[in-house]
Amino acid sequence: MVIKKAELETVCGITSRLPEHEIPEVAFAGKSNVGKSSMINALMNRKSLARTSSQPGKTQTINFYNINDAVYFVDLPGYGYAKTSQEVKEKWGKMIERYLKKSKMLKRVFLLVDIRHEPSENDKLMYEWILYQGYEPVIIATKLDKLKRSQVDKQIKIVREGLGLKKESLVIPFSAETKQGREELLAYIEGILNGEQESFMSM
């Protein structure tokens, strides 16, 4: 999949109506400091289209990026940010839930976790919650460049066991710095668009 066009097209806040269109969507979820914006920028091959910040939790909207007029990359608000009030966290949760339930074009949810650490309670809750909403998330294990090559397999096993993944569940190690994992992820998304990947979990 070669990205020739990437632009931020729609930004949805807590009270916004979700856009209606006929283009498939893939959504990215992850806690606030997992490097989601950096990963999306690396995937789009853009330096700063998705806004990154030294202050986690900046993404407080659902952002729709139009890719080649063929697919939307949907950036969901980060979860588990300590400095955000409980009331705001609950509103974000409802916003994400509304999107997962109402989007007619959502084909796959990707859940980002930090490959360096055992999945947190928030990660586990988000994984279970995405399953409950009817999607089998693909795991993107970010910050791969922070590990030595000899540590990667061990950390992937920790991620798998920590989330309780099925044997066949896909984990894609990814580095926004080196772009490692980018081609694999784009090829997987292209497979979704071509109907080669199952979009939903079996309920």
Side-chain angles (χ1 to χ4, degrees):
M1 183 179 187
V2 178
I3 294 181
K4 296 179 179 177
K5 171 186 175 179
E7 58 185 39
L8 177 59
E9 190 169 285
T10 307
V11 176
C12 290
I14 289 167
T15 59
S16 303
R17 283 186 62 181
L18 294 169
E20 295 184 11
H21 48 245
E22 301 301 317
I23 297 177
E25 300 167 1
V26 294
F28 299 93
K31 63 186 177 188
S32 304
N33 59 350
V34 77
K36 185 156 51 67
S37 295
S38 297
M39 190 278 306
I40 291 172
N41 281 327
L43 205 55
M44 297 188 295
N45 213 15
R46 300 294 190 273
K47 283 190 177 178
S48 57
L49 190 54
R51 276 170 278 176
T52 58
S53 173
S54 58
Q55 182 183 0
K58 269 297 195 196
T59 304
Q60 301 181 15
T61 52
I62 300 177
N63 299 332
F64 291 76
Y65 296 91
N66 184 331
I67 309 298
N68 296 345
D69 293 322
V71 61
Y72 283 100
F73 290 173
V74 183
D75 185 7
L76 301 175
Y79 57 84
Y81 181 47
K83 290 184 181 177
T84 302
S85 72
Q86 189 61 36
E87 181 185 3
V88 171
K89 284 182 188 176
E90 287 173 6
K91 285 180 179 177
W92 289 358
K94 286 176 183 173
M95 181 164 60
I96 297 171
E97 183 175 16
R98 178 169 63 105
Y99 168 70
L100 293 180
K101 282 184 173 177
K102 294 198 171 182
S103 173
K104 295 174 182 174
M105 298 307 296
L106 179 58
K107 302 301 180 186
R108 180 65 84 182
V109 179
F110 294 91
L111 176 62
L112 280 67
V113 299
D114 189 328
I115 196 169
R116 300 172 299 174
H117 308 298
E118 185 177 347
S120 67
E121 284 306 310
N122 276 327
D123 290 329
K124 294 173 190 175
L125 286 170
M126 192 67 178
Y127 176 73
E128 293 293 334
W129 190 63
I130 293 169
L131 284 176
Y132 179 75
Q133 298 300 327
Y135 296 90
E136 176 85 50
V138 170
I139 307 303
I140 301 175
T142 63
K143 309 196 180 184
L144 177 62
D145 53 285
K146 307 292 186 188
L147 292 182
K148 295 176 182 174
R149 189 174 294 182
S150 60
Q151 297 174 302
V152 174
D153 287 346
K154 176 189 170 190
Q155 291 306 120
I156 289 175
K157 185 179 180 186
I158 288 171
V159 167
R160 284 185 168 281
E161 290 176 352
L163 292 175
L165 299 182
K166 299 175 186 173
K167 191 175 181 181
E168 66 272 17
S169 296
L170 183 61
V171 177
I172 301 177
F174 194 97
S175 167
E177 292 291 323
T178 67
K179 307 279 180 74
Q180 192 172 344
R182 179 177 184 268
E183 294 305 317
E184 183 183 353
L185 184 49
L186 286 175
Y188 185 85
I189 292 170
E190 190 169 31
I192 293 171
L193 302 182
N194 293 336
E196 296 163 11
Q197 308 287 353
E198 288 293 326
S199 295
F200 300 100
M201 64 177 283
S202 54
M203 294 292 286

